[in-house]
Amino acid sequence: MTDHFWKKANHLFGFLPLAAIFALLVVSANVEIKDLDLWLHLAMGRFITLHRTVPSVDVLSCSIAGAPWVNHEWLFQVMVYNIFHLWGASGLIMMQVVVVSLTMLLLLCIGYDKNRQLLTTIILFLVYMIYQQRFTIRPDLFSLLFFTVYIFVLSLHIDKKWSLPVLFFTQVLWSNTHGFFFFGPLFVLIGIVSEWMRRNVYLPYEWNESGRLNDDEYHRIKKIFIYVVVACLFNPLLAVGAWYPISVFFSLSGENKIFFEVIQELRQSITPQTLFDQSQYGYYKLMIVISFISFIFNRRRIDVSALLFWLVFLVFSLKAVRNTPFFAFAAYLVFITNIVNINADDIIPIRFTQKKFQYLTAMIVKILFLLWVFGFYQEISLRSYYDFDRYELKSEYGGISQSSYPDKAVDFLVVHQVKGNFFNDFNSGAYLLGRTHPDIKVFIDGRTEVYGGTFFQMYKKIWEDGDVELFEKIVKRYKITGALLNSSRQMIPEKILSYLFQHEDWRLVYFDYDAVIFLKNNPMNKPLIDQFEIDLARWKAPEIDLYKFGTLRVKPYRPYYRAYTLESLGFDDAALEELDQAIRVDPFYADAFDLAGKIYAKRKEYRKAFEHFRIAVTASPRTKKMRFNLALSYFDLGEYEGAVKQYKTISKMWPNDPKGHFLLTKSRIMNGQYAEAIMALKQAHQLSPQDVKDPLELGDMMFEQKAYKEAKEAYFIALKTNKEQEVIYKKLGFVSLSMGDKQQAKQEFEKALAVTPDNEEIKSVLKDLD
């Protein structure tokens, strides 16, 4: 067979992995609806559709009602509401499939070259792996599509007259769909600045000529910039709407920076701690490396616009996890741009005596890659969880998630037509709006830029810290008549839960695995309270029919979540009943054993606590919290040698956690291993150099056990923190006295007196020493 035949066969084989990637894309884009903010968009889309207007103030919340709101996503909201209204969840999922498929198809058109088919396929697959992490029905999907349209037009068709109207129309859509619309003008500006540099700045190697535009193209791109900036004004609020995303961007360094600390998708994609952790955004890191290496191989003919584009979106992606797909798209363009000028012989050391062997090798690699893609497909296609209502597995693809929302709690509100202003947790606000607005207005939802950092701090004080005085103030200020606390995505903090349960003004009307609902005891709510008030003292765990599960191993999250809430409210017997049901379903469910252990430890039934913590760790050996609980149970039983072993294991598994080293110190003290205890304390102090409380407590323990030398060392470690100096010097004085060194003791007490000259106790001790 001729070389031409093998070349043709190799080319045809190359379409197989490409087709597999797109098939994989369609499957993964069918992921069930689980995004929180989507429901806020549905609520607002319904409002705009019904009222035929885009409001400029908040109409969803009871806490910021009437506050200015630049809704730059209104077009997306109208679109998703009407699709959902007509075709339900399947319509929204189909919309996602179409958008992501079109986006990837455009990327393929940008980079496809039959002579570099395999490289393009591999890089496109890396893009998919980063992109699919954002397969959620949000405005971001359209931002990525419009971003790709810009790449497609500016990189391949800047010489065409139609490029201007296409980008103008794209920009108008983008300006009303998502706040990242400013990327459009930014992208064009990068092109203009790069071309100016090529023409006016001396650049190294052949950079001045690489990617250079002709005069007509340069004129057109400047004209495009003016048009797309003007297109940003085509929104309901004109200049205010166009400038809003920029103003939000500049506010992120102020009070709003708190959102980057608490919201997962806004956290940094790479930190010093995760830099070499491949389980943390490994494909994104690989994309950085590959695109950077492409610059090295193409260093003589770098396109300065590609370099600036790469740098801008690298910085942008490093700021927040949600931005990594934008970098992936930018890196893809950069790689394609660089690879054109790179000779394959420079990077692939293999040489072939005949061309057909080269084609055969490429075909084999493509088949292996295809098989890997099939294996990945099999892995993700099996993802599922148990539907306790139907007693069957629910695939993670298609429909609406049954484990992401407090759906049954909100069903209760909808069915019984509950109305009013509700206090809610941050994760529930959007879903409440999507299902109950305008009957219910929420306290907080996902519009972080509208609420602002100061308001969010206030919310955190109530939700996390249990500031009940602040809660009572907001109840009066915003006329709160109900509260929904979500337990389907997180455990409800004990303080705010206990306050609502115990306060006479509030009544519990709904309790289940997904949430609790309290209604204010007022005339409007009295009929509902009379009908549905729940007495948890009489709670009985629902019996689970094991026969319907068969041999299937199921995660019994429902009884466990109920048990957690019951335990927080002090109903330990009812919690244990729920946990018994959970353990019947899965005898190795670590969370259930861990919570049961906590209850028995609280009752000082340490032997039972140990037995349950032991099973929990056996079932989930790498869960830190369970490891600590097991170690503590050894300690509570007086089995200090066992506690030492467990804390040593913890310190090895999590060497940067000072808590493990401090507790290891405590266990060694109780086990009489004072020298080893000091070694562990020094390690803990290195990890937490400002912690004075633990060294003092551990020094006191050694002092009580008459290990005076080691107690003194512990106090000296505490002294290094420059905190509580008077207390530490006083303790050092008493240690010296116990060691029989009155002179040293006097010096230490004098140092303590120098810190607080009016301390009568120290004066009395010094007088006795004299």
Side-chain angles (χ1 to χ4, degrees), residues 432-464:
L432 259 176
L433 288 171
R435 296 281 312 280
T436 67
H437 186 267
D439 288 344
I440 289 177
K441 291 192 174 182
V442 299
F443 178 73
I444 192 170
D445 55 69
R447 296 171 295 159
T448 53
E449 77 283 1
V450 184
Y451 287 92
T454 302
F455 184 91
F456 191 77
Q457 289 278 23
M458 178 181 71
Y459 157 76
K460 281 187 67 183
K461 285 182 180 178
I462 297 171
W463 179 254
E464 295 182 3

Side-chain angles (χ1 to χ4, degrees), residues 337-523:
T337 302
N338 286 332
I339 203 70
V340 170
N341 300 316
I342 299 174
N343 190 334
D345 292 341
D346 294 336
I347 56 177
I348 301 176
I350 302 172
R351 299 293 180 268
F352 297 93
T353 56
Q354 296 183 43
K355 277 287 185 182
K356 70 176 182 180
F357 293 128
Q358 177 182 336
Y359 299 136
L360 279 169
T361 302
M363 289 166 63
I364 291 170
V365 172
K366 290 171 182 176
I367 291 170
L368 292 174
F369 180 71
L370 180 65
L371 292 173
W372 189 89
V373 171
F374 277 138
F376 182 74
Y377 162 75
Q378 286 185 317
E379 177 188 334
I380 67 168
S381 65
L382 296 175
R383 293 174 182 171
S384 60
Y385 54 92
Y386 201 76
D387 182 343
F388 280 86
D389 295 323
R390 298 185 178 183
Y391 283 93
E392 63 185 20
L393 285 175
K394 160 75 172 71
S395 170
E396 288 192 7
Y397 299 95
I400 299 173
S401 173
Q402 297 181 8
S403 59
S404 299
Y405 308 114
D407 54 318
K408 287 185 168 42
V410 177
D411 286 345
F412 174 87
L413 297 173
V414 172
V415 168
H416 300 293
Q417 300 178 347
V418 179
K419 295 178 173 63
N421 296 338
F422 263 59
F423 175 80
N424 59 279
D425 58 281
F426 180 73
N427 287 329
S428 298
Y431 185 70
L432 259 176
L433 288 171
R435 296 281 312 280
T436 67
H437 186 267
D439 288 344
I440 289 177
K441 291 192 174 182
V442 299
F443 178 73
I444 192 170
D445 55 69
R447 296 171 295 159
T448 53
E449 77 283 1
V450 184
Y451 287 92
T454 302
F455 184 91
F456 191 77
Q457 289 278 23
M458 178 181 71
Y459 157 76
K460 281 187 67 183
K461 285 182 180 178
I462 297 171
W463 179 254
E464 295 182 3
D465 302 336
D467 190 333
V468 296
E469 290 184 9
L470 182 57
F471 177 75
E472 289 172 351
K473 287 179 182 177
I474 67 105
V475 168
K476 291 179 182 177
R477 184 186 308 166
Y478 304 123
K479 297 180 174 58
I480 303 291
T481 59
L484 183 145
L485 312 182
N486 178 359
S487 58
S488 66
R489 294 183 75 100
Q490 79 272 303
M491 300 308 177
I492 304 170
E494 188 174 322
K495 287 184 179 179
I496 186 64
L497 176 65
S498 297
Y499 167 82
L500 285 166
F501 182 75
Q502 295 168 7
H503 201 283
E504 61 182 6
D505 287 348
W506 295 92
R507 294 290 186 268
L508 179 68
V509 295
Y510 177 89
F511 167 75
D512 210 332
Y513 70 93
D514 60 335
V516 293
I517 297 175
F518 294 92
L519 293 180
K520 203 164 194 300
N521 192 9
N522 60 25

Side-chain angles (χ1 to χ4, degrees), residues 33-53:
I33 294 172
K34 60 178 70 174
D35 184 70
L36 296 173
D37 287 342
L38 170 64
W39 297 92
L40 184 151
H41 296 308
L42 290 172
M44 203 60 220
R46 180 172 59 240
F47 181 94
I48 295 169
T49 300
L50 294 176
H51 293 83
R52 305 294 180 181
T53 184

Side-chain angles (χ1 to χ4, degrees), residues 96-253:
Q96 176 166 262
V97 171
V98 170
V99 171
V100 300
S101 298
L102 182 57
T103 303
M104 286 290 283
L105 189 60
L106 280 172
L107 287 174
L108 177 63
C109 292
I110 292 166
Y112 182 75
D113 182 345
K114 67 179 182 180
N115 296 319
R116 296 181 177 86
Q117 199 178 43
L118 182 59
L119 275 176
T120 304
T121 302
I122 292 172
I123 297 300
L124 194 65
F125 180 74
L126 286 178
V127 172
Y128 157 76
M129 292 301 291
I130 300 167
Y131 185 24
Q132 56 96 23
Q133 297 171 19
R134 298 296 299 172
F135 283 2
T136 54
I137 302 170
R138 303 178 71 169
D140 307 49
L141 282 182
F142 286 90
S143 266
L144 287 161
L145 172 61
F146 299 143
F147 186 70
T148 310
V149 170
Y150 265 83
I151 294 175
F152 179 74
V153 173
L154 293 178
S155 62
L156 297 181
H157 301 290
I158 189 61
D159 58 325
K160 309 292 194 307
K161 290 183 179 180
W162 54 259
S163 60
L164 192 153
V166 166
L167 291 182
F168 177 81
F169 180 68
T170 300
Q171 189 61 44
V172 170
L173 292 176
W174 201 350
S175 299
N176 294 280
T177 305
H178 191 224
F180 283 174
F181 65 81
F182 66 90
F183 284 162
L186 176 63
F187 198 168
V188 181
L189 184 61
I190 289 172
I192 294 171
V193 171
S194 303
E195 187 60 26
W196 182 88
M197 291 175 65
R198 292 189 195 98
R199 292 168 181 249
N200 297 281
V201 179
Y202 177 75
L203 301 172
Y205 303 118
E206 302 172 39
W207 293 18
N208 288 90
E209 298 302 320
S210 183
R212 185 163 180 156
L213 304 177
N214 60 40
D215 290 344
D216 286 342
E217 291 168 345
Y218 189 29
H219 175 72
R220 183 172 291 112
I221 197 171
K222 288 189 284 188
K223 193 174 179 181
I224 286 172
F225 179 71
I226 295 171
Y227 272 78
V228 296
V229 168
V230 171
C232 293
L233 299 173
F234 284 63
N235 69 80
L237 293 176
L238 305 174
V240 174
W243 180 252
Y244 185 69
I246 308 298
S247 64
V248 170
F249 177 79
F250 284 115
S251 74
L252 296 179
S253 59

